[in-house]
Amino acid sequence: MKSTRIESDLLGELQVPLEAYYGVQTQRAINNFKISTSKLSDYPEFVKGLAIVKWAAAKTNFELDVLDEKIYKVIAEACQEILDGKLHQEFPVDMIQGGAGTSVNMNANEVIANRALELLGFQKGDYQNCSPNDHVNLSQSTNDAYPTSLKVAVFEMNKKVVDRLEKLVKGFEAKAKEFENIIKMGRTQLQDAVPMTLGQEFGGFAYTLKKEIAALNQASQSFLEINMGATAIGTGLNAVPGYADLCAKNLGLLMKQPVTSAENLVEATSDTSGFVAYSGVLKKVAIKLSKICNDLRLLSSGPRTGLNEIQLPPMQPGSSIMPGKVNPVIPEVVNQVCFKVIGNDMTITMASEAAQLQLNVMEPVLAHTVMESMMWLENAMETLVDKCVLGIKANVEHNKELVLGSIGIVTALNPYIGYKASTKIAKEALETGRGVYELVLEHNLLSKERLDEILDPKHMLAPHKK
């Protein structure tokens, strides 16, 4: 039997592991919420977000003369340790819980209080000397501390998402440069269209993702407006005058970011639309990524009976029964991540919509889901660029043969022989299997020299004068 200590709360006494830095309310959450396999400690940015918010709150209380300097210093030291990566194992509560995040907030309050007690020379649980509620949670409520900590976490996590996205964009840009002179057939509705270069295709992949970098950063800016000082419902009950603005300022100093207090704390306490907007950008990235991965799978299909325009790096045997088969497993796994992110966006939307009156009690599932989407996308984008994009090879001659054998090049003749004649040539080519080139010459529509000039694939890659 492990040694325990007895702590008490509103509901009575409860045994807590003797060496645990968390306390009775965290222990109740452990007992009550066995829902997911995700713990608060699985999201270190959220743990650090809680620590920096508690530090800013303590600093503000000290500066407003409502917290003793000695208590403030040990709270600050405990928070710094958490920011340095220590004590994270002391945050074992399930990410999915009732109570609008109260268990998460109290987990942080208890860990910080008990570490502060150690620094003061007292035993864990000796809360008359440093209390989770009276000192660490002073001038706060779960309803302002929890969403503010989540905003800090998502703002910081966004930096990593953007970093991975930038790396992926650079990977596609490098391939666009490498493939800039490789002619291939463009397609619409999966049918032959007109020629382009493989570089143009990969450049399109890079550019469509690059646009979302600014969108992610812009959406994350809303997380720098916080509702600290709102306390329970936005009225500021139990916070001293000036607390909200000063706490925002102090949090900004600790984060090295310009943090502001929400103009209307009542509105800000129940509103989670900033997460909906941010998730919407994540969903847009996922949609674009999934489309690109679909294209990579199509372009590499075959190899003998598909498009076979590119070769993806072989990552593993593709079948337990078919020898020699290699599957596009990296684009496939990224597709699945994208499906998850798109589905998560609906969860976030519904969680935000579920706010009632002065509070949104569904914030825990919103918090878990948005951070899950971010982590999955980070991993997927890094996997895609490292294990797929950078190793893609072009089948140069095969691409050229497809262009020259395509009926789609007849489109280039429209300005010279007219749409009706071009349609006739295309139809005859389809029916007979003969080439566009020989049919144009046979019908004396253009001279060989002129036809060669017009049908040079390089002349069909951009606008030009007739």
Side-chain angles (χ1 to χ4, degrees), residues 119-246:
L119 294 169
L120 289 169
F122 297 106
Q123 296 294 316
K124 297 184 187 75
D126 196 1
Y127 294 139
Q128 66 267 24
N129 293 295
C130 184
S131 165
N133 297 85
D134 296 335
H135 297 110
V136 183
N137 200 61
L138 181 61
S139 304
Q140 303 155 65
S141 163
T142 293
N143 303 344
D144 55 2
Y146 181 91
T148 298
S149 301
L150 176 59
K151 287 182 174 183
V152 171
V154 175
F155 181 84
E156 294 298 331
M157 288 177 70
N158 178 66
K159 296 175 183 177
K160 195 171 182 180
V161 175
V162 168
D163 179 70
R164 295 293 186 273
L165 184 53
E166 288 176 336
K167 181 179 177 181
L168 180 57
V169 167
K170 289 178 182 177
F172 278 121
E173 287 176 339
K175 285 296 166 180
K177 180 68 176 176
E178 180 182 341
F179 299 153
E180 65 181 347
N181 294 318
I182 298 175
I183 300 296
K184 62 154 287 175
M185 202 65 199
R187 296 177 182 84
T188 59
Q189 295 159 283
L190 299 181
Q191 308 300 306
D192 295 355
V194 295
M196 65 186 303
T197 68
L198 193 60
Q200 287 175 318
E201 192 162 32
F202 275 71
F205 296 158
Y207 186 73
T208 194
L209 293 174
K210 189 174 184 178
K211 291 194 296 184
E212 300 311 319
I213 294 172
L216 284 168
N217 286 330
Q218 182 177 358
S220 73
Q221 289 300 305
S222 69
F223 302 135
L224 296 177
E225 181 182 277
I226 64 170
N227 72 324
M228 290 297 287
T231 64
I233 64 170
T235 60
L237 181 66
N238 291 350
V240 297
Y243 177 89
D245 287 332
L246 183 56

Side-chain angles (χ1 to χ4, degrees), residues 407 424-434 439:
I407 296 171
K424 181 179 178 181
I425 292 295
K427 182 179 179 181
E428 187 173 350
L430 280 169
E431 292 174 348
T432 64
R434 298 170 66 189
L439 289 173

Side-chain angles (χ1 to χ4, degrees), residues 387-426:
K387 298 184 181 298
C388 182
V389 174
L390 294 179
I392 292 174
K393 297 179 181 178
N395 295 326
V396 181
E397 291 303 316
H398 180 63
N399 276 291
K400 184 176 180 181
E401 290 172 6
L402 290 177
V403 172
L404 295 177
S406 172
I407 296 171
I409 61 174
V410 76
T411 303
L413 301 177
N414 283 350
Y416 305 95
I417 65 175
Y419 185 85
K420 186 173 182 178
S422 296
T423 302
K424 181 179 178 181
I425 292 295

Side-chain angles (χ1 to χ4, degrees), residues 247-276:
C247 189
K249 178 183 176 181
N250 283 330
L251 181 59
L253 290 172
L254 293 172
M255 290 180 65
K256 298 181 173 59
Q257 295 287 339
V259 177
T260 60
S261 180
E263 184 175 345
N264 187 313
L265 292 176
V266 171
E267 185 271 345
T269 302
S270 64
D271 176 56
T272 53
S273 60
F275 296 103
V276 177

